[in-house]
Amino acid sequence: MNVGIVGLGLIGGSLARSYSSKGKQVYGFDTDKVVLDFAKLSGAVYGTLDETTVQACDLILLAVFPDAAIQWLTEMAPRLSSQNIVIDCCGTKRKICAAGFALAEQYGFPYLGGHPMAGTQYRGFAHSRADLYEGQSMILVPPEHADMALLERVKELLSPAGFGSITMASAEHHDEMIAYTSQMAHVVSNAFVKSPRAQSHKGYSAGSYKDLTRVAWLNEDMWTTLFLENRDFLLEEIRLMQKHLEEYAQAMEHNDPDRLRALLAEGRLCKEKVDAV
């Protein structure tokens, strides 16, 4: 199997390490030549992904920002064929999928939206790991009339990465859910550490603080792009959070233990219901 990977940061670099560790031949591209050279020296990447080698790739993974993915795909689309399956790994799906499906139909290559649900608070190839995706979920946005043969082929091509499950979704539903499960968590974490008390938390914090603040250490360039692309769904979640926080604040302002107890019980029961699924 030949795999092409565009973007060798944490996500793309981990994919490169994963596939190469399973004996697959990986061709990589990164706008930073130092990163590409380092990936080759480390053994994660065999050769450079370019106009020639891209045609030999069974699978091409686009692990860059949505606009960069669209630009690369637009430039390379005329060189792709039915033998080159392309999957993007962007954090939002509506914009990239609209462009990807249109190009795939025009030039006759298979394209699916994708989102590997794994990551860390760190960035860059230096922090990439071959086991990053082991047991994790991969979300796929297939074309409207995808047949089972294509989906089975895609699952086969993704298997070396070690994903524990494949979830199928529309681009719209993906973006709606990710606004809550991923983007909102980053907003809350990032805002939470802005308290002046965060600077003197040592000795007063334990697991709850660590869990809540882990993703505050983010890549602001990437998340700004993703937040703004998904701002309709993310704003819904922010407004809903503001509403719930105000409910707790009002219960305390009115020194109302019954109301506060009810709100806390409501949250606990929601969590119990979620964990029971």
Side-chain angles (χ1 to χ4, degrees):
M1 179 195 300
N2 293 330
V3 180
I5 299 177
V6 179
L8 296 172
L10 175 69
I11 300 303
S14 294
L15 287 166
R17 289 187 188 277
S18 181
Y19 277 94
S20 62
S21 70
K22 304 291 174 47
K24 312 307 178 185
Q25 193 151 282
V26 176
Y27 294 92
F29 171 80
D30 196 280
T31 54
D32 189 335
K33 188 176 184 301
V34 174
V35 171
L36 178 57
D37 289 343
F38 183 59
K40 290 178 181 178
L41 287 172
S42 71
V45 169
Y46 170 77
T48 301
L49 183 68
D50 57 24
E51 293 85 349
T52 301
T53 57
V54 70
Q55 298 173 15
C57 291
D58 304 288
L59 174 66
I60 300 164
L61 299 164
L62 309 180
V64 290
F65 291 8
D67 284 344
I70 293 170
Q71 180 181 349
W72 186 92
L73 196 53
T74 300
E75 293 173 356
M76 286 293 185
R79 298 174 173 82
L80 301 177
S81 72
S82 60
Q83 304 306 308
N84 312 122
I85 294 179
V86 180
I87 302 175
D88 81 83
C89 299
C90 300
T92 55
K93 295 269 69 78
R94 285 175 288 176
K95 182 176 182 179
I96 178 63
C97 283
F101 289 140
L103 288 166
E105 182 175 1
Q106 180 180 356
Y107 292 100
F109 62 88
Y111 163 81
L112 296 89
H115 188 178
M117 297 305 297
T120 73
Q121 66 268 42
Y122 305 111
R123 70 178 83 174
F125 183 81
H127 295 287
S128 61
R129 307 192 329 248
D131 64 349
L132 184 64
Y133 305 106
E134 291 291 336
Q136 304 302 314
S137 172
M138 176 61 159
I139 303 173
L140 291 177
V141 180
E144 187 174 351
H145 301 296
D147 57 35
M148 287 305 299
L150 172 62
L151 297 179
E152 289 302 315
R153 177 59 176 156
V154 167
K155 289 180 180 179
E156 178 187 353
L157 290 171
L158 289 173
S159 62
F163 291 107
S165 63
I166 302 290
T167 300
M168 299 292 178
S170 67
E172 183 92 3
H173 185 62
H174 168 278
D175 287 358
E176 181 180 16
M177 291 303 298
I178 288 301
Y180 171 68
T181 63
S182 177
Q183 295 183 342
M184 189 60 185
H186 284 77
V187 169
V188 171
S189 181
N190 197 263
F192 184 75
V193 297
K194 292 179 180 178
S195 167
R197 296 178 182 86
Q199 301 304 315
S200 53
H201 78 89
K202 291 183 180 178
Y204 297 89
S205 57
S208 57
Y209 178 87
K210 181 178 180 180
D211 291 343
L212 184 55
T213 60
R214 180 181 66 84
V215 294
W217 197 343
L218 46 68
N219 179 340
E220 59 270 16
D221 294 326
M222 179 183 77
W223 286 104
T224 294
T225 298
L226 297 178
F227 287 169
L228 291 178
E229 283 195 5
N230 207 32
R231 61 186 176 274
D232 51 350
F233 288 128
L234 183 53
L235 278 169
E236 286 183 20
E237 294 297 336
I238 290 174
R239 302 304 184 212
L240 184 58
M241 174 66 79
Q242 289 173 328
K243 173 179 176 291
H244 288 313
L245 288 175
E246 184 58 30
E247 290 173 343
Y248 292 104
Q250 287 183 7
M252 286 181 275
E253 284 175 356
H254 293 97
N255 196 26
D256 187 343
D258 292 335
R259 176 58 174 157
L260 183 57
R261 188 179 298 109
L263 289 170
L264 294 171
E266 182 181 49
R268 173 179 57 80
L269 291 171
C270 285
K271 177 60 174 171
E272 287 181 4
K273 185 177 180 181
V274 167
D275 287 353
V277 175

